Protein backbone atom coordinates (compact mmCIF):
# COMPACT_ATOMS: atom_id res chain seq x y z
CA UNK A 1 0.00 0.00 0.00
CA UNK A 2 2.80 2.41 0.95
CA UNK A 3 4.70 1.56 -2.22
CA UNK A 4 1.65 2.35 -4.32
CA UNK A 5 0.98 5.61 -2.46
CA UNK A 6 4.59 6.78 -2.84
CA UNK A 7 4.55 5.93 -6.54
CA UNK A 8 1.39 8.01 -7.04
CA UNK A 9 2.83 10.98 -5.13
CA UNK A 10 6.01 10.92 -7.22
CA UNK A 11 4.00 10.85 -10.43
CA UNK A 12 1.90 13.77 -9.22
CA UNK A 13 4.98 15.86 -8.37
CA UNK A 14 6.49 15.19 -11.79
CA UNK A 15 3.28 16.30 -13.47
CA UNK A 16 3.22 19.49 -11.40
CA UNK A 17 6.81 20.30 -12.37
CA UNK A 18 6.14 19.48 -16.02
CA UNK A 19 3.14 21.80 -16.35
CA UNK A 20 4.22 24.53 -13.92
CA UNK A 21 7.41 25.42 -15.76
CA UNK A 22 5.76 26.54 -19.01
CA UNK A 23 3.32 28.62 -16.94
CA UNK A 24 6.18 30.41 -15.20
CA UNK A 25 7.92 31.02 -18.52
CA UNK A 26 4.69 32.38 -20.00
CA UNK A 27 4.18 34.74 -17.08
CA UNK A 28 7.77 35.98 -17.39
CA UNK A 29 7.32 36.55 -21.11
CA UNK A 30 4.04 38.36 -20.51
CA UNK A 31 5.62 40.60 -17.84
CA UNK A 32 8.50 41.48 -20.17
CA UNK A 33 6.03 42.24 -22.96
CA UNK A 34 3.96 44.48 -20.68
CA UNK A 35 7.07 46.32 -19.52
CA UNK A 36 8.16 46.92 -23.12
CA UNK A 37 4.70 48.25 -23.98
CA UNK A 38 4.64 50.59 -20.97
CA UNK A 39 8.07 51.96 -21.94
CA UNK A 40 7.00 52.76 -25.48
CA UNK A 41 6.62 56.50 -26.01
CA UNK A 42 3.24 57.81 -27.09
CA UNK A 43 2.66 59.56 -30.38
CA UNK A 44 0.84 62.77 -31.24
CA UNK A 45 0.21 64.91 -34.29
CA UNK A 46 2.22 67.77 -35.71
CA UNK A 47 -0.13 69.00 -38.37
CA UNK A 48 -0.87 65.87 -40.40
CA UNK A 49 2.38 64.18 -39.34
CA UNK A 50 2.48 61.56 -36.58
CA UNK A 51 5.47 62.14 -34.30
CA UNK A 52 6.71 61.15 -30.85
CA UNK A 53 5.20 63.22 -28.04
CA UNK A 54 8.67 64.35 -26.94
CA UNK A 55 9.30 65.90 -30.36
CA UNK A 56 6.27 68.17 -30.54
CA UNK A 57 7.38 70.87 -28.11
CA UNK A 58 10.63 71.40 -30.01
CA UNK A 59 8.91 71.42 -33.41
CA UNK A 60 6.23 73.91 -32.31
CA UNK A 61 8.90 76.05 -30.63
CA UNK A 62 10.82 76.18 -33.93
CA UNK A 63 7.65 77.19 -35.82
CA UNK A 64 7.01 80.21 -33.62
CA UNK A 65 10.67 81.11 -33.36
CA UNK A 66 10.72 81.37 -37.15
CA UNK A 67 7.56 83.47 -37.45
CA UNK A 68 7.79 85.63 -34.30
CA UNK A 69 8.76 88.86 -36.04
CA UNK A 70 6.19 88.49 -38.83
CA UNK A 71 3.45 86.99 -36.63
CA UNK A 72 1.21 90.05 -36.43
CA UNK A 73 1.62 90.97 -40.11
CA UNK A 74 0.65 87.46 -41.15
CA UNK A 75 -2.36 87.45 -38.81
CA UNK A 76 -3.67 90.56 -40.56
CA UNK A 77 -2.98 89.14 -44.02
CA UNK A 78 -4.41 85.64 -43.42
CA UNK A 79 -7.61 86.83 -41.76
CA UNK A 80 -7.92 90.08 -43.70
CA UNK A 81 -7.86 91.84 -40.35
CA UNK A 82 -10.81 89.90 -38.91
CA UNK A 83 -8.63 88.42 -36.14
CA UNK A 84 -8.72 91.87 -34.50
CA UNK A 85 -12.52 91.71 -34.33
CA UNK A 86 -12.42 88.17 -32.92
CA UNK A 87 -10.03 89.28 -30.17
CA UNK A 88 -12.11 92.36 -29.36
CA UNK A 89 -15.21 90.18 -28.96
CA UNK A 90 -13.19 87.72 -26.87
CA UNK A 91 -12.24 90.42 -24.35
CA UNK A 92 -15.76 91.83 -24.33
CA UNK A 93 -17.09 88.37 -23.44
CA UNK A 94 -14.51 88.15 -20.64
CA UNK A 95 -15.54 91.58 -19.32
CA UNK A 96 -12.48 92.29 -17.13
CA UNK A 97 -12.99 94.12 -13.84
CA UNK A 98 -10.61 96.24 -11.78
CA UNK A 99 -8.83 94.30 -9.08
CA UNK A 100 -8.47 91.26 -11.35
CA UNK A 101 -5.39 89.03 -11.48
CA UNK A 102 -5.27 87.66 -15.02
CA UNK A 103 -3.16 85.02 -16.78
CA UNK A 104 -2.81 85.36 -20.56
CA UNK A 105 -1.38 81.98 -21.60
CA UNK A 106 0.26 81.63 -25.02
CA UNK A 107 0.16 85.42 -24.80
CA UNK A 108 3.14 85.80 -27.09
CA UNK A 109 3.06 89.18 -28.78
CA UNK A 110 0.59 90.63 -26.29
CA UNK A 111 -2.56 91.02 -28.40
CA UNK A 112 -4.93 89.73 -25.71
CA UNK A 113 -3.14 91.34 -22.76
CA UNK A 114 -3.07 94.75 -24.44
CA UNK A 115 -6.81 94.52 -25.03
CA UNK A 116 -7.29 93.44 -21.41
CA UNK A 117 -5.38 96.50 -20.19
CA UNK A 118 -7.12 98.93 -22.55
CA UNK A 119 -10.52 97.54 -21.57
CA UNK A 120 -9.78 98.33 -17.92
CA UNK A 121 -8.43 101.77 -18.83
CA UNK A 122 -11.84 102.57 -20.31
CA UNK A 123 -13.63 101.54 -17.12
CA UNK A 124 -14.06 103.84 -14.10
CA UNK A 125 -11.98 102.81 -11.10
CA UNK A 126 -13.16 105.06 -8.22
CA UNK A 127 -11.70 102.76 -5.54
CA UNK A 128 -8.30 102.66 -7.22
CA UNK A 129 -8.24 98.87 -7.32
CA UNK A 130 -5.00 97.38 -8.59
CA UNK A 131 -5.02 94.79 -11.34
CA UNK A 132 -2.34 92.45 -12.62
CA UNK A 133 -1.73 90.59 -15.86
CA UNK A 134 0.81 87.83 -16.46
CA UNK A 135 1.69 87.34 -20.12
CA UNK A 136 3.06 83.83 -20.48
CA UNK A 137 4.32 81.84 -23.44
CA UNK A 138 6.58 78.82 -23.93
CA UNK A 139 8.51 80.73 -26.60
CA UNK A 140 10.78 83.53 -25.37
CA UNK A 141 11.10 84.95 -28.90
CA UNK A 142 7.36 85.65 -28.96
CA UNK A 143 7.53 87.28 -25.53
CA UNK A 144 10.43 89.47 -26.66
CA UNK A 145 8.32 90.75 -29.55
CA UNK A 146 5.45 91.38 -27.14
CA UNK A 147 7.59 93.36 -24.71
CA UNK A 148 8.90 95.54 -27.54
CA UNK A 149 5.35 96.20 -28.68
CA UNK A 150 4.35 97.09 -25.13
CA UNK A 151 7.10 99.71 -24.95
CA UNK A 152 6.02 101.27 -28.25
CA UNK A 153 2.38 101.37 -27.10
CA UNK A 154 3.25 102.82 -23.70
CA UNK A 155 1.80 99.78 -21.95
CA UNK A 156 4.67 99.18 -19.56
CA UNK A 157 4.30 98.93 -15.81
CA UNK A 158 6.05 102.29 -15.33
CA UNK A 159 3.45 104.09 -17.42
CA UNK A 160 0.35 102.24 -16.21
CA UNK A 161 -1.61 103.29 -13.15
CA UNK A 162 -3.12 100.64 -10.85
CA UNK A 163 -1.80 97.94 -13.18
CA UNK A 164 1.19 95.60 -13.03
CA UNK A 165 2.34 93.44 -15.92
CA UNK A 166 4.70 90.45 -15.92
CA UNK A 167 6.23 88.56 -18.84
CA UNK A 168 6.91 84.92 -18.01
CA UNK A 169 8.25 82.09 -20.18
CA UNK A 170 6.36 78.96 -19.12
CA UNK A 171 4.85 75.71 -20.37
CA UNK A 172 1.03 75.64 -20.32
CA UNK A 173 1.17 71.95 -19.38
CA UNK A 174 3.31 72.61 -16.29
CA UNK A 175 2.75 76.13 -14.97
CA UNK A 176 5.11 77.58 -12.34
CA UNK A 177 2.26 79.44 -10.60
CA UNK A 178 0.67 78.57 -7.26
CA UNK A 179 -2.79 77.06 -6.90
CA UNK A 180 -5.72 79.50 -6.81
CA UNK A 181 -3.64 82.45 -8.09
CA UNK A 182 -5.73 84.02 -10.87
CA UNK A 183 -9.25 85.36 -11.33
CA UNK A 184 -9.21 84.70 -15.06
CA UNK A 185 -7.23 82.68 -17.59
CA UNK A 186 -7.24 83.17 -21.35
CA UNK A 187 -5.51 81.28 -24.13
CA UNK A 188 -5.96 82.50 -27.70
CA UNK A 189 -4.86 80.50 -30.74
CA UNK A 190 -2.44 78.50 -28.62
CA UNK A 191 -4.00 75.42 -27.09
CA UNK A 192 -4.07 73.42 -30.34
CA UNK A 193 -0.25 73.63 -30.40
CA UNK A 194 0.09 71.86 -27.06
CA UNK A 195 0.89 68.15 -26.86
CA UNK A 196 -1.54 67.30 -24.05
CA UNK A 197 -4.62 69.51 -24.14
CA UNK A 198 -6.01 67.77 -21.07
CA UNK A 199 -2.95 68.81 -19.06
CA UNK A 200 -3.33 72.42 -20.21
CA UNK A 201 -6.94 72.43 -19.03
CA UNK A 202 -6.01 70.78 -15.75
CA UNK A 203 -3.32 73.39 -15.09
CA UNK A 204 -5.72 76.20 -15.99
CA UNK A 205 -8.18 74.83 -13.45
CA UNK A 206 -5.47 74.53 -10.80
CA UNK A 207 -4.17 78.10 -10.99
CA UNK A 208 -7.62 79.69 -11.13
CA UNK A 209 -9.23 80.89 -7.92
CA UNK A 210 -12.67 79.49 -7.02
CA UNK A 211 -15.12 81.48 -9.14
CA UNK A 212 -12.38 82.10 -11.72
CA UNK A 213 -13.08 81.95 -15.43
CA UNK A 214 -11.35 80.03 -18.20
CA UNK A 215 -11.69 81.32 -21.76
CA UNK A 216 -10.21 79.98 -24.96
CA UNK A 217 -10.27 81.52 -28.44
CA UNK A 218 -9.33 78.96 -31.06
CA UNK A 219 -9.75 78.06 -34.72
CA UNK A 220 -12.55 75.56 -35.07
CA UNK A 221 -14.81 73.82 -37.58
CA UNK A 222 -17.46 75.42 -39.78
CA UNK A 223 -21.06 74.30 -39.46
CA UNK A 224 -21.61 74.17 -43.23
CA UNK A 225 -19.99 71.63 -45.53
CA UNK A 226 -20.01 74.11 -48.41
CA UNK A 227 -18.36 76.85 -46.36
CA UNK A 228 -15.88 74.35 -44.94
CA UNK A 229 -14.88 73.32 -48.49
CA UNK A 230 -14.35 76.97 -49.49
CA UNK A 231 -12.38 77.58 -46.29
CA UNK A 232 -10.20 74.52 -46.95
CA UNK A 233 -9.39 75.70 -50.47
CA UNK A 234 -8.32 79.08 -49.13
CA UNK A 235 -6.38 77.57 -46.21
CA UNK A 236 -4.33 75.03 -48.14
CA UNK A 237 -3.89 76.89 -51.44
CA UNK A 238 -3.47 80.49 -50.30
CA UNK A 239 -2.11 80.68 -46.74
CA UNK A 240 1.20 78.73 -47.17
CA UNK A 241 2.15 80.65 -50.36
CA UNK A 242 1.20 83.87 -48.56
CA UNK A 243 3.52 82.91 -45.73
CA UNK A 244 6.33 82.35 -48.21
CA UNK A 245 5.78 85.73 -49.87
CA UNK A 246 5.26 87.90 -46.77
CA UNK A 247 7.34 86.08 -44.16
CA UNK A 248 9.70 83.92 -46.21
CA UNK A 249 8.21 80.87 -44.48
CA UNK A 250 6.07 78.15 -46.08
CA UNK A 251 6.24 75.24 -43.64
CA UNK A 252 5.06 77.08 -40.48
CA UNK A 253 1.87 78.11 -42.27
CA UNK A 254 1.39 74.66 -43.75
CA UNK A 255 1.55 73.42 -40.15
CA UNK A 256 -0.94 76.11 -39.11
CA UNK A 257 -3.69 75.02 -41.49
CA UNK A 258 -3.08 71.33 -40.77
CA UNK A 259 -3.13 71.84 -36.99
CA UNK A 260 -6.52 73.55 -37.23
CA UNK A 261 -8.01 70.46 -38.89
CA UNK A 262 -6.61 68.23 -36.17
CA UNK A 263 -8.11 70.26 -33.32
CA UNK A 264 -11.23 68.75 -31.68
CA UNK A 265 -14.65 69.90 -32.87
CA UNK A 266 -16.60 72.31 -30.70
CA UNK A 267 -18.68 69.75 -28.81
CA UNK A 268 -15.68 67.48 -28.24
CA UNK A 269 -13.56 70.31 -26.87
CA UNK A 270 -16.46 71.45 -24.70
CA UNK A 271 -16.54 67.98 -23.12
CA UNK A 272 -12.79 68.11 -22.49
CA UNK A 273 -13.29 71.36 -20.55
CA UNK A 274 -16.08 69.75 -18.54
CA UNK A 275 -13.86 66.74 -17.84
CA UNK A 276 -11.18 69.08 -16.47
CA UNK A 277 -13.66 70.13 -13.76
CA UNK A 278 -15.10 73.35 -15.15
CA UNK A 279 -18.77 74.27 -14.76
CA UNK A 280 -21.18 76.33 -16.86
CA UNK A 281 -19.19 75.38 -19.97
CA UNK A 282 -20.35 76.83 -23.26
CA UNK A 283 -19.02 77.99 -26.62
CA UNK A 284 -19.85 80.62 -29.20
CA UNK A 285 -19.01 80.35 -32.89
CA UNK A 286 -17.68 83.40 -34.70
CA UNK A 287 -17.64 83.80 -38.49
CA UNK A 288 -19.66 80.60 -39.06
CA UNK A 289 -17.32 78.61 -36.82
CA UNK A 290 -13.96 79.63 -38.28
CA UNK A 291 -13.14 80.36 -34.66
CA UNK A 292 -14.94 79.61 -31.40
CA UNK A 293 -14.89 81.13 -27.94
CA UNK A 294 -15.03 78.51 -25.19
CA UNK A 295 -15.80 79.46 -21.61
CA UNK A 296 -16.02 77.71 -18.23
CA UNK A 297 -15.91 78.54 -14.52
CA UNK A 298 -14.08 77.00 -11.58
CA UNK A 299 -16.81 76.69 -8.96
Amino acid sequence: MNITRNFCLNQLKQCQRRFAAPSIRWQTTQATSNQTTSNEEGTTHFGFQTIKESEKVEKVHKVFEDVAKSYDIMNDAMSMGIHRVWKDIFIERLGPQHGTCHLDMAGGTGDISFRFIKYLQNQANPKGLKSHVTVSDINQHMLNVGEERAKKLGLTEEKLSNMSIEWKCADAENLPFADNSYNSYTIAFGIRNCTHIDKVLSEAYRVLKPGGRFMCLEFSHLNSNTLQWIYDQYSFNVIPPMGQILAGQWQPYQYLVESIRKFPKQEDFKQMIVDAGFSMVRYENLTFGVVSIHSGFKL
Side-chain angles (χ1 to χ4, degrees):
M1 180 69 70
N2 288 336
I3 295 173
T4 304
R5 186 166 65 88
N6 290 337
F7 175 79
C8 291
L9 287 174
N10 287 334
Q11 291 298 311
L12 178 61
K13 288 179 181 179
Q14 289 179 19
C15 288
Q16 286 176 333
R17 284 195 296 269
R18 187 181 305 160
F19 290 106
S23 177
I24 292 170
R25 285 196 297 271
W26 179 83
Q27 290 173 7
T28 303
T29 304
Q30 183 185 43
T32 304
S33 177
N34 287 341
Q35 184 177 3
T36 302
T37 301
S38 64
N39 290 336
E40 288 181 358
E41 185 179 348
T43 59
T44 186
H45 62 82
F46 178 74
F48 289 161
Q49 299 177 44
T50 299
I51 61 172
K52 294 180 180 179
E53 289 184 345
S54 60
E55 297 175 348
K56 183 163 183 176
V57 171
E58 183 178 347
K59 285 181 174 289
V60 171
H61 188 278
K62 183 67 167 62
V63 164
F64 286 94
E65 180 180 308
D66 290 342
V67 304
K69 292 183 179 179
S70 59
Y71 185 77
D72 295 310
I73 294 173
M74 278 300 297
N75 279 347
D76 280 331
M78 290 185 300
S79 70
M80 293 171 282
I82 299 175
H83 77 99
R84 297 174 181 269
V85 178
W86 294 334
K87 292 169 183 174
D88 287 342
I89 295 172
F90 186 56
I91 288 297
E92 287 176 6
R93 297 293 187 267
L94 177 63
Q97 297 181 356
H98 291 288
T100 294
C101 190
H102 177 69
L103 174 58
D104 176 19
M105 198 63 225
T109 58
D111 263 6
I112 300 301
S113 291
F114 299 158
R115 283 171 169 80
F116 178 90
I117 293 169
K118 290 177 180 178
Y119 187 96
L120 289 179
Q121 287 178 330
N122 291 327
Q123 305 298 315
N125 187 17
K127 295 182 179 180
L129 297 176
K130 295 186 181 296
S131 301
H132 172 81
V133 59
T134 299
V135 190
S136 186
D137 200 290
I138 198 171
N139 193 301
Q140 186 62 49
H141 289 82
M142 297 288 284
L143 290 172
N144 292 342
V145 172
E147 287 192 78
E148 285 300 315
R149 288 186 65 206
K151 292 175 184 177
K152 292 178 182 179
L153 294 170
L155 297 177
T156 58
E157 194 165 325
E158 298 77 19
K159 297 183 179 181
L160 294 170
S161 60
N162 298 318
M163 172 66 69
S164 59
I165 183 169
E166 173 190 18
W167 301 81
K168 182 73 173 179
C169 189
D171 182 355
E173 295 183 18
N174 186 23
L175 296 175
F177 312 118
D179 297 358
N180 308 315
S181 298
Y182 294 93
N183 302 104
S184 53
Y185 173 117
T186 55
I187 182 165
F189 303 118
I191 200 167
R192 76 179 186 283
N193 298 310
C194 299
T195 306
H196 305 101
I197 295 175
D198 56 337
K199 290 185 180 180
V200 177
L201 295 172
S202 177
E203 280 291 270
Y205 188 88
R206 180 183 66 80
V207 302
L208 279 170
K209 297 178 180 180
R213 190 176 188 184
F214 165 84
M215 289 190 66
C216 174
L217 176 66
E218 188 54 86
F219 288 110
S220 199
H221 302 269
L222 279 71
N223 47 26
S224 163
N225 291 335
T226 301
L227 292 177
Q228 184 68 55
W229 183 85
I230 295 171
Y231 180 47
D232 287 344
Q233 300 311 303
Y234 171 74
S235 297
F236 287 97
N237 297 317
V238 176
I239 290 179
M242 187 186 296
Q244 183 65 47
I245 294 169
L246 297 181
Q249 298 284 342
W250 180 296
Q251 287 303 323
Y253 295 98
Q254 182 70 33
Y255 161 74
L256 167 69
V257 297
E258 291 178 3
S259 68
I260 292 170
R261 273 61 184 183
K262 298 293 289 185
F263 190 69
K265 292 186 177 180
Q266 289 90 322
E267 284 292 332
D268 295 330
F269 186 48
K270 176 184 176 182
Q271 187 58 50
M272 294 180 73
I273 300 172
V274 171
D275 292 342
F278 289 98
S279 302
M280 301 171 62
V281 178
R282 62 183 296 272
Y283 65 86
E284 174 186 0
N285 288 330
L286 303 179
T287 317
F288 306 106
V290 172
V291 301
S292 295
I293 295 174
H294 290 261
S295 171
F297 291 85
K298 177 180 178 178
L299 300 179

